[in-house]
Amino acid sequence: MHLLQGRRGPQDLDRTTAALPRLPGHRNHPLNPRPTPPPHTKGSDPHGQRRTTHHHLCRFGGSPRKVTTITPEFTPADRRAVLDRAERLRQLPEADRDAIRIAQEPKFPRLLEQITATGGCSHPVHLSGSTTTLDGTTGEILHHYDTRNEPSERLLVRCRNRRATVCPACSRLHAGDTFHLVRAGLLGGKNVPPAVRRRPRLFITLTAPSFGAVHRAGEACRPRRAGGACEHGRPIGCGAVHAPNASLVGQPLCPDCYDYTAHVLWHGHASKLWDRFVIDVRRRLASSVGLVQSHFARHARLSFARVAEYQQRAAVHVHAVVRLDGPAGPDDEPPPWGTAQLLADAVRASAGRVLVVAPYSPAVGELALCWGVQVDVRPLCADGDGPDDDAVAAYVAKYVTKGASETGAGVDHRLSNWTDIEFAPVSEHVRTLMRTCWRLGGLPEYAALRLREWAHTLGYRGHVLTKSRAYSTTYAVLRAERADHMSHADVADAIAERHWRYVGSGHTPGAALIAAGIADDLAESRRLGLQARHEGEWCG
């Protein structure tokens, strides 16, 4: 009779020593498994088996039994080494420990597939449900998908947040959609005829008016030979040369002289000011060719796409692509009198003419709000004379991913009370604008502006990108086309029955670490692909 008596080995004391799947995007991460060394020979293996044979007397008499004991050569030093590894694991950050736990789950490969399908989204939406695809003629079930077989019985989908500070992966996708949306209105495509490239087109920039002197970058900031001081005793000039990223750039020379009230109210009426501007451009065009203003829509149509951007002084200015079409939109040629020069003249005249009067308040008075004196109008020509169409589309797409916190002009979340303003990570200039929003938001005259709700964006509540209906395609159409392409749907009369519900959002700390690695890998792969394409090495 042989008895197998052995002490527990290291693999029984520390289960984390088993081989773990490699964490994506973290090539040198300490949690990634290292190459396994070659096995030791039988004579040199420190954990090799030791066979001991001795005779054991029988309790009930008789001849002694021969007993063979097999024990691993597992010394107290080996046990301490295993315990030290377990202790080091407990000392790891929470994200690393959670990543190890996730990597040991049976459905970890499928979870990696889901995170990769979202592009490494930082805050995915969790859905539960099913989709059944039926043949529209026979009723036969062509495909059925259910989340009961997924990890945690959930499906991860993108959050679609446009802000790079919130989700870099989804903001990159949103910027790509914006690029194609703007480009289609410039060059055609996406159900827009290529003939739009020959239409009168402009790239314009409208700025906010001055609310007070601020520090500028570049050459001497605000040189003054005679010097002087304001009524509050502060210098009215600055002879320093500030770097573009200096913290002083955009800050007022005298905060007491700066008109914070007008700044906030201008933001609150910026969207209305743009609407008045577009209406006035149509009227100017009609008047310049002798048409009745109300009959302009019978002869031409003004299409645009505009994006809002915060300047360093925390004031919004607008970049826009403006195009003149026929009355039916992109499919119709503009009238013979519709030229780029006529359109540019109307834009300049309207930018200096339109006004929006803020509601009267006993505490503020009545303010007339207008555009700033700096207006830039550049024609876009099909023959290459002027800004490149792709460059304009990329320029607009770049700004849609920037949130208020990234530009230093606010934060990306709403402020619920005065304390949130005091602890917001912003400059004192921006903090004063937030305080002004909060004070003015408490006045009944400005209740319609909802200044307290939009104090985190300094009172500006417009969309970062707006466009006219006939300019080009829409985000919804672009997303639907991408979904159809990803689903590989090839049955024309198929019927889909969908039953989904929201069950959560976000990542655990370990899953967030894995998602960030996947997003970095995808971004690096995209960068290398573009580099190879530019060098002529791209094979499609």
Side-chain angles (χ1 to χ4, degrees):
M1 178 178 182
H2 297 280
L3 297 178
L4 188 63
Q5 300 175 352
R7 289 176 291 178
R8 299 175 65 191
Q11 67 276 12
D12 298 319
L13 294 177
D14 186 10
R15 300 178 64 184
T16 64
T17 59
L20 298 177
R22 177 172 293 275
L23 298 180
H26 301 271
R27 300 177 180 85
N28 298 320
H29 198 280
L31 301 181
N32 277 332
R34 297 295 187 265
T36 305
H40 296 279
T41 60
K42 183 176 182 181
S44 62
D45 187 0
H47 296 291
Q49 296 179 344
R50 182 175 60 187
R51 185 183 299 270
T52 303
T53 303
H54 63 276
H55 292 82
H56 181 70
L57 296 177
C58 183
R59 296 176 55 188
F60 303 102
S63 58
R65 291 184 300 167
K66 184 179 180 180
V67 178
T68 300
T69 303
I70 302 176
T71 59
E73 294 184 1
F74 185 47
T75 65
D78 297 328
R79 184 185 297 272
R80 286 195 298 271
V82 172
L83 294 178
D84 289 343
R85 286 195 294 271
E87 181 63 25
R88 288 197 299 270
L89 180 64
R90 286 192 291 270
Q91 293 177 357
L92 288 175
E94 180 185 3
D96 292 347
R97 295 199 305 270
D98 189 51
I100 292 176
R101 176 190 63 81
I102 294 174
Q104 290 178 317
E105 294 180 354
K107 295 185 178 181
F108 176 66
R110 174 55 184 162
L111 179 62
L112 279 183
E113 292 178 1
Q114 285 202 25
I115 297 177
T116 304
T118 65
C121 176
S122 301
H123 198 76
V125 177
H126 300 195
L127 301 178
S128 177
S130 63
T131 296
T132 303
T133 305
L134 307 174
D135 189 302
T137 304
T138 64
E140 177 186 1
I141 297 178
L142 303 177
H143 178 71
H144 178 74
Y145 171 80
D146 200 302
T147 57
R148 286 180 291 185
N149 297 324
E150 298 288 357
S152 302
E153 298 186 358
R154 297 181 177 189
L155 176 66
L156 305 183
V157 298
R158 287 179 177 268
C159 67
R160 294 182 179 178
N161 195 297
R162 68 167 183 86
R163 297 178 178 87
T165 55
V166 177
C167 182
C170 290
S171 70
R172 190 179 299 111
L173 185 66
H174 187 81
D177 288 345
T178 303
F179 172 81
H180 288 290
L181 185 149
V182 177
R183 187 179 186 274
L186 290 170
L187 300 175
K190 310 295 182 183
N191 296 325
V192 178
V196 296
R197 188 176 185 183
R198 302 291 176 180
R199 308 279 171 80
R201 302 170 305 159
L202 303 176
F203 182 62
I204 66 174
T205 300
L206 304 177
T207 60
S210 176
F211 306 109
V214 298
H215 291 277
R216 299 180 295 192
E219 299 179 353
C221 177
R222 290 186 178 272
R224 285 184 176 269
R225 294 181 180 179
C230 68
E231 59 182 273
H232 305 99
R234 296 186 178 90
I236 59 176
C238 176
V241 178
H242 304 300
N245 58 350
S247 60
L248 201 58
V249 174
Q251 307 300 306
L253 272 67
C254 177
D256 294 324
C257 293
Y258 195 88
D259 195 349
Y260 285 98
T261 299
H263 190 148
V264 168
L265 291 178
W266 191 91
H267 274 178
H269 294 85
S271 297
K272 189 174 183 180
L273 189 62
W274 171 261
D275 292 338
R276 294 278 181 89
F277 166 77
V278 174
I279 294 172
D280 195 75
V281 169
R282 296 191 185 104
R283 292 175 177 175
R284 287 279 176 171
L285 288 173
S287 300
S288 62
V289 294
L291 294 176
V292 178
Q293 295 180 357
S294 59
H295 293 173
F296 175 79
R298 303 177 185 178
H299 300 270
R301 185 166 189 164
L302 191 67
S303 299
F304 65 86
R306 65 109 176 168
V307 63
E309 176 198 359
Y310 283 94
Q311 295 174 303
Q312 289 182 305
R313 58 176 174 145
V316 168
H317 68 286
V318 172
H319 302 290
V321 176
V322 181
R323 189 186 70 223
L324 189 64
D325 298 320
D331 297 320
D332 196 2
E333 290 293 332
W337 51 260
T339 63
Q341 184 60 46
L342 184 69
L343 182 59
D345 293 341
V347 166
R348 291 189 182 95
S350 298
R353 180 174 180 269
V354 295
L355 291 174
V356 173
V357 179
Y360 172 79
S361 171
V364 177
E366 187 177 79
L367 295 180
L369 308 172
C370 61
W371 295 108
V373 296
Q374 295 180 346
V375 178
D376 185 47
V377 180
R378 301 185 184 184
L380 300 175
C381 302
D383 56 5
D385 185 14
D388 181 73
D389 294 331
D390 285 341
V392 170
Y395 186 81
V396 173
K398 177 180 67 174
Y399 286 106
V400 298
T401 64
K402 291 187 176 182
S405 63
E406 189 175 1
T407 58
V411 293
D412 289 335
H413 58 275
R414 292 193 173 183
L415 306 172
S416 57
N417 50 54
W418 189 267
T419 305
D420 291 345
I421 298 177
E422 298 303 316
F423 288 97
V426 295
S427 66
E428 190 60 29
H429 173 57
V430 174
R431 196 184 317 279
T432 305
L433 287 169
M434 291 179 175
R435 295 187 186 120
T436 306
C437 284
W438 201 265
R439 292 192 184 101
L440 295 177
L443 300 178
E445 301 84 32
Y446 303 129
L449 300 179
R450 298 183 294 166
L451 293 176
R452 288 190 174 181
E453 295 181 32
W454 296 94
H456 62 294
T457 58
L458 313 184
Y460 179 73
R461 65 184 190 278
H463 292 286
V464 65
L465 176 75
T466 57
K467 72 175 192 67
S468 59
R469 182 176 301 177
Y471 176 78
S472 68
T473 185
T474 64
Y475 284 120
V477 172
L478 293 175
R479 291 165 181 164
E481 290 178 354
R482 181 167 53 247
D484 292 340
H485 174 73
M486 298 295 294
S487 63
H488 305 288
D490 54 356
V491 181
D493 57 347
I495 300 175
E497 296 181 356
R498 302 179 178 89
H499 304 280
W500 295 95
R501 62 186 181 92
Y502 170 82
V503 293
S505 62
H507 279 306
T508 64
L513 182 68
I514 296 172
I518 290 177
D520 291 342
D521 284 349
L522 293 175
E524 180 67 11
S525 177
R526 192 161 30 245
R527 186 189 68 81
L528 293 176
L530 290 175
Q531 180 180 350
R533 179 181 299 178
H534 293 159
E535 294 175 356
E537 301 175 1
W538 185 255
C539 299

